[in-house]
């Protein structure tokens, strides 16, 4: 679809969803009225900047069903976030919403090269988390075979992977890394598996992590993007060119804003990603601030798809830690660790404040063949890593090398940082 045709379609959908939200959601009616905007003011997609933002606090304040824009009798599925920092985020779907969601996921899987002959092992968690069922419905949409293993019970999963001949695996990249480690410990040669595609999402991961997973599992690793508040996995995905994530912008309209001024930035500039759901009726999201930091590229991709491409997620504005005045993202540490063949890609950042000064501690593991009781060797290895992190991040960390296998492995989203300053 041409850019002009896409914008015309987006404008028509925006007018419909804004009117639906205003007429059926007390939350949005109040928010629009407070902001001085009415559905009649929305004439085209360009008018989207007239609308107010929605933030995560709005979902928590209206827990559980306060943002629904249809009767609960029309809601046929509920999903929710983990709620580890307070009340969970609850999202409701109509039948049409689920159809649109599975369509979005199916587009991603098709772009990854999956088809009816594939056997796709879904190792995202099933249940209230959107990952498992979201991927499940997408696999069924393209007519491939679903293997719904969920997360955990890793040795059993690997056994089924061998027995069933899984050709694709869908999970978090941190769990895929743990599966690769377990495959080695079980004495299995990953090259003898039939895996050819990895579908990884639900947490930020780096180009270095991609290379590591591809090498260890003998696969082509693809990024799938999504978030519970918008629908779940499948808001966007890479194509065979792997030059950005295609956002299905006929369903999810993206903007990039300056997270401080809240004003739109120029195409190609980095900022905070904002989404408006153009075809989600149970619980529409209008200008939802994701906190993800990225950029958008509107050039036509070499694959021929004209949907806008999102750059790699640089981090989250609410995951970013400011340590001694310096912005630090866990993804930076992951990238650096993967530069060193001696280190495992597992780490834990701990930040605290002692005598009014921020501390910056990082636990890391070396691979078993490099773990030694020769202190001098470990000291030199630690000094190299310390120097490299300081040169990239701008401040010096306190590195602590721990025994192999010490840092907790994750079957879901990895916990990579703890900021003790929050609890003062």
């Amino acid at each position: 679809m041409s850019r002009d045709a896409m914008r015309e379609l987006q404008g028509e959908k925006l007018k419909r969803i804004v009117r639906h939200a205003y007429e059926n959601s007390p939350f949005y009616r109040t928010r629009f009225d407070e902001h001085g905007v009415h559905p009649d003011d929305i004439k085209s997609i360009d008018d989207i900047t007239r609308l107010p933002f929605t933030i995560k606090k709005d979902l928590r304040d209206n827990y559980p069903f306060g943002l629904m824009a249809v009767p609960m009798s029309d809601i046929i599925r509920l999903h929710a976030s983990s709620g580890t920092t307070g009340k969970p985020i609850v999202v409701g779907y109509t039948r049409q919403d689920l159809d649109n969601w599975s369509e979005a996921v199916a587009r991603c899987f098709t772009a990854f090269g999956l088809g009816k002959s594939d056997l796709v092992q879904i190792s995202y968690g099933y249940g209230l988390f959107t990952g498992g069922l979201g991927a499940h419905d997408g696999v069924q949409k393209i007519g491939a075979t679903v293997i719904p293993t969920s997360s955990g019970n890793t040795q059993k999963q690997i056994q089924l992977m061998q027995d069933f001949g899984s050709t694709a695996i869908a999970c978090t990249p941190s769990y895929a890394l743990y599966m690769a480690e377990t495959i080695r410990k079980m004495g299995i040669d990953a090259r003898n598996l039939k895996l050819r595609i990895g579908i990884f999402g639900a947490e930020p991961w780096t180009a270095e992590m991609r290379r590591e997973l591809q090498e260890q599992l003998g696969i082509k690793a693809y990024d799938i993007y999504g978030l519970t508040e918008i629908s779940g996995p499948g808001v966007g995905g890479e194509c065979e060119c792997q030059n950005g994530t295609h956002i299905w912008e006929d369903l999810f309209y993206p903007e990039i804003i300056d997270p401080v001024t809240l004003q739109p930035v120029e195409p190609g500039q980095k900022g905070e990603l904002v989404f408006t759901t153009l075809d989600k009726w149970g619980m529409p999201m209008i200008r939802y601030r994701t906190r993800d930091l990225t950029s958008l590229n509107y050039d036509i991709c070499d694959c021929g798809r004209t949907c806008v491409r999102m750059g790699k997620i640089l981090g989250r504005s609410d995951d970013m830690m400011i340590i001694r005045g310096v912005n630090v993202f866990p993804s930076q540490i992951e990238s650096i660790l993967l530069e060193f063949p001696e280190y495992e890609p597992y780490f834990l950042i701990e930040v605290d404040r002692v005598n009014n000064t921020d501390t910056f501690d990082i636990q890391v593991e070396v691979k078993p063949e490099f773990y030694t009781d020769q202190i001098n060797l470990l000291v030199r290895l630690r000094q190299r890593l310390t120097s490299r992190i300081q040169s990239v991040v701008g401040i010096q960390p306190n590195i602590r090398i721990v025994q192999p296998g010490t840092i907790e492995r994750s079957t879901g989203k990895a916990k990579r940082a703890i900021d003790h300053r929050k609890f003062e």
Side-chain angles (χ1 to χ4, degrees):
M1 183 177 287
S2 70
R3 178 55 42 193
D4 288 343
M6 176 64 79
R7 291 186 65 80
E8 184 177 348
L9 176 63
Q10 290 168 336
E12 291 303 313
K13 286 191 169 189
L14 179 65
K15 287 188 286 186
R16 288 199 298 268
I17 204 69
V18 165
R19 187 167 298 279
H20 171 73
Y22 186 82
E23 293 178 351
N24 296 284
S25 166
F27 166 80
Y28 276 118
R29 176 184 285 271
T30 300
R31 180 63 57 86
F32 288 2
D33 287 347
E34 290 174 347
H35 203 71
V37 64
H38 186 272
D40 291 342
D41 299 325
I42 306 303
K43 309 295 185 183
S44 72
I45 195 63
D46 293 326
D47 294 321
I48 196 167
T49 57
R50 304 182 65 172
L51 298 168
F53 292 105
T54 309
I55 60 174
K56 182 168 287 189
K57 185 177 183 295
D58 294 325
L59 282 81
R60 290 194 171 127
D61 288 348
N62 288 276
Y63 174 88
F65 305 140
L67 264 68
M68 301 300 174
V70 297
M72 287 303 295
S73 58
D74 290 341
I75 297 292
I76 66 169
R77 190 192 293 175
L78 293 172
H79 279 288
S81 67
S82 58
T84 54
T85 57
K87 290 182 178 179
I89 301 302
V90 178
V91 182
Y93 304 78
T94 65
R95 190 172 302 279
Q96 181 180 346
D97 294 339
L98 290 181
D99 288 344
N100 289 336
W101 183 15
S102 63
E103 164 69 20
V105 178
R107 292 180 190 178
C108 294
F109 289 174
T110 301
F112 302 158
L114 292 172
K116 291 184 177 181
S117 60
D118 282 294
L119 288 81
V120 185
Q121 189 161 327
I122 307 296
S123 299
Y124 287 113
Y126 278 70
L128 288 176
F129 173 57
T130 57
L133 284 169
H136 183 115
D137 289 348
V139 173
Q140 290 190 162
K141 184 81 170 181
I142 65 172
T145 301
V146 181
I147 306 174
T149 52
S150 192
S151 58
N153 202 3
T154 305
Q155 290 194 5
K156 177 67 172 178
Q157 290 218 37
I158 293 167
Q159 184 64 56
L160 293 175
M161 190 182 293
Q162 286 183 297
D163 296 344
F164 292 178
S166 306
T167 59
I169 179 79
C171 60
T172 64
S174 55
Y175 188 43
L177 194 68
Y178 177 55
M179 292 183 84
E181 183 180 55
T182 306
I183 286 170
R184 291 197 306 274
K185 289 181 177 178
M186 292 173 67
I188 298 170
D189 188 342
R191 291 173 297 183
N192 294 330
L193 299 173
K194 293 186 178 180
L195 282 182
R196 64 185 187 88
I197 290 175
I199 304 160
F200 304 129
E203 62 187 16
W205 53 301
T206 60
E208 291 79 11
M209 176 69 87
R210 187 201 298 273
R211 287 194 289 270
E212 185 85 3
L213 290 170
Q214 291 185 157
E215 180 179 334
Q216 291 196 30
L217 292 172
I219 57 172
K220 185 78 168 175
Y222 289 93
D223 194 3
I224 189 168
Y225 175 79
L227 57 166
T228 300
E229 300 92 319
I230 301 304
S231 73
V235 172
E238 292 181 312
C239 65
E240 62 269 28
C241 300
Q242 294 192 315
N243 188 23
T245 297
H246 289 278
I247 300 295
W248 312 124
E249 54 179 313
D250 58 322
L251 300 173
F252 318 104
Y253 182 76
E255 302 173 77
I256 301 290
I257 64 168
D258 183 310
V260 177
T261 68
L262 304 185
Q263 295 303 306
V265 303
E266 293 297 319
Q269 290 188 350
K270 297 180 179 65
E272 181 182 339
L273 182 62
V274 173
F275 275 115
T276 297
T277 55
L278 297 177
D279 219 339
K280 190 163 182 280
W281 302 91
M283 187 175 148
M285 283 284 104
I286 308 296
R287 300 196 82 195
Y288 181 76
R289 295 183 59 187
T290 68
R291 303 292 183 177
D292 286 336
L293 302 175
T294 185
S295 59
L296 295 176
N297 182 349
Y298 288 89
D299 295 338
I300 296 176
C301 182
D302 289 341
C303 74
R305 292 177 178 86
T306 57
C307 277
V308 65
R309 281 172 291 152
M310 179 180 74
K312 198 72 176 172
I313 298 293
L314 305 173
R316 290 177 60 88
S317 59
D318 54 357
D319 279 350
M320 179 184 75
M321 297 175 292
I322 302 177
I323 306 172
R324 302 173 206 158
V326 176
N327 297 343
V328 178
F329 292 97
S331 57
Q332 293 174 302
I333 307 304
E334 179 186 286
S335 289
I336 294 167
L337 272 180
L338 289 167
E339 295 175 7
F340 289 80
E342 300 92 344
Y343 286 101
E344 298 280 13
Y346 302 106
F347 64 94
L348 178 65
I349 302 170
E350 290 195 76
V351 182
D352 209 336
R353 184 169 289 119
V354 178
N355 296 325
N356 295 318
T357 301
D358 292 336
T359 62
F360 180 24
D361 300 326
I362 308 177
Q363 293 182 36
V364 296
E365 290 182 18
V366 292
K367 294 178 179 176
E369 60 267 31
F370 294 103
Y371 193 76
T372 174
D373 56 5
Q374 297 183 41
I375 301 300
N376 289 340
L377 294 178
L378 289 180
V379 167
R380 285 198 294 270
L381 196 56
R382 184 177 63 199
Q383 287 173 339
R384 287 173 53 212
L385 180 60
T386 300
S387 176
R388 178 62 177 148
I389 291 175
Q390 184 174 7
S391 69
V392 172
V393 175
I395 56 174
Q396 180 174 312
N398 175 42
I399 299 293
R400 183 158 70 93
I401 296 176
V402 298
Q403 290 185 355
T406 299
I407 297 173
E408 183 181 358
R409 275 39 171 174
S410 174
T411 60
K413 294 186 179 183
K415 181 70 173 178
R416 294 190 172 102
I418 301 174
D419 191 342
H420 297 289
R421 298 170 302 177
K422 297 176 182 176
F423 305 108
E424 292 183 349

